[in-house]
Amino acid sequence: MGKIDRRQYPELNNLLWDIHCYLVDPKIAFDMYEHRWRYVDTKQITKKEKALVQRLTNEFGNGVFMAA
């Protein structure tokens, strides 16, 4: 998996408020989703972004997502 364009994923973009690059490493994206999940608006998350979270979970979390 290559770098992720955060502008394509609104919730991820919000989570990365303190990171200023547009392309992020998938591991960093996964870590941010896990550590900052409480800030994700689960009613607004798109199907595309849910699929991204699932792919990242499978790759970096061995299928387990552990929201902080």
Side-chain angles (χ1 to χ4, degrees), residues 10-52:
E11 294 302 315
L12 177 61
N13 194 44
N14 291 336
L15 296 179
L16 298 174
W17 61 270
D18 56 343
I19 297 176
H20 302 288
C21 56
Y22 291 120
L23 300 176
V24 295
D25 184 77
K27 176 69 170 126
I28 291 172
F30 177 69
D31 290 343
M32 290 296 110
Y33 276 123
E34 277 198 329
H35 291 105
R36 297 179 176 178
W37 187 254
R38 66 182 165 267
Y39 302 110
V40 171
D41 186 346
T42 56
K43 293 179 183 173
Q44 296 297 318
I45 195 167
T46 64
K47 289 180 184 180
K48 179 180 177 180
E49 192 159 4
K50 284 180 187 178
L52 173 65

